Amino acid sequence: MTAPTPLIAGNWKMNGTGASIAEARAVAAQLDGRHVRVAICPPATLIQRMSEALAGTAVLVGAQDCHSEESGAFTGDVSAEMLADAGARLVIVGHSERRAGYCETDELVARKARAVVRAGLEPIVCVGETLAQRKAGKALEVVTGQVRGSLPRELDRKPYSLAYEPVWAIGTGLTPTLPEIEEMHRAIRAVLRELFGDDGDKPPILYGGSVKPDNAADILHAAEVGGALVGGASLKAEDFLGIIRAV
Ligand code: PGA
């Protein structure tokens, strides 16, 4: 089976206003047609404007979260269908900041992933252990458990990706060693094969957590690493491009 096309996705988190669309345009203007898919996930308020600004370029626009229902009395929430209507093509679900800050369980993450597929979009399903769990020797068990619990059957034969993001590596400048990353990505791949058979080879498994231009090449060339989910370094076009060029 040929390796999945790598995906480099930028997660802007709660950063950016209309003026920041210039950074996304700068990324789009510099893409040199290499074998990589590039996405930027801005705050929901920017999705429509960014989709319009990037129309006809190779940069996809994504969202950072969605509700599991299509519509209804859910004050403040946004559905996957609404994100699709605004121009999003991908949706991050289960980011550790959502799991920790909003008590999102594997079961809820699976419902959100199902909603993303229902809307015809592509989920990026995030998993990752805390430092305490890694220190207790439970990282593999925790992460493979999250993968089993967060992936609905509906993903079968649909485009999606996983993102392994150790919680302790996010925004800290710390990263696991390359053998630790490879061990985890291989374990995730094994669960995907178990759940989806040969189709479990298709989704790229992204690494996320303090990916920067200077560590990107090593991480992106590690076994079973199919791209990156990038937070802080996706906010500046030059840094994000440095990571994209490392593929
Ligand atoms: P970071 O964030 O690159 O700033 O560590 C990654 C993420 O939270 O997706």
Side-chain angles (χ1 to χ4, degrees), residues 11 13 95 97 165 169-172 208-212 229-233:
N11 172 12
K13 309 193 179 185
H95 191 282
E97 286 154 15
E165 299 203 298
I170 294 177
T172 58
S210 296
V211 179
K212 309 285 176 208
L229 183 54
V230 184

Side-chain angles (χ1 to χ4, degrees), residues 96-179:
S96 62
E97 286 154 15
R98 304 281 324 167
R99 289 179 184 264
Y102 299 86
C103 304
E104 293 197 3
T105 59
D106 289 342
E107 202 262 322
L108 178 59
V109 175
R111 276 195 275 136
K112 290 185 173 197
R114 197 178 294 132
V116 175
V117 170
R118 183 188 67 214
L121 304 181
E122 185 178 329
I124 301 175
V125 182
C126 302
V127 294
E129 83 285 357
T130 63
L131 190 56
Q133 288 164 335
R134 178 158 285 271
K135 282 189 171 156
K138 295 202 177 313
L140 278 173
E141 179 189 326
V142 167
V143 170
T144 54
Q146 287 175 335
V147 174
R148 280 178 218 284
S150 305
L151 298 185
R153 296 300 314 173
E154 285 82 351
L155 288 179
D156 200 12
R157 291 162 209 276
K158 296 287 193 312
Y160 70 98
S161 53
L162 264 289
Y164 167 55
E165 299 203 298
V167 177
W168 51 273
I170 294 177
T172 58
L174 303 172
T175 53
T177 64
L178 295 177

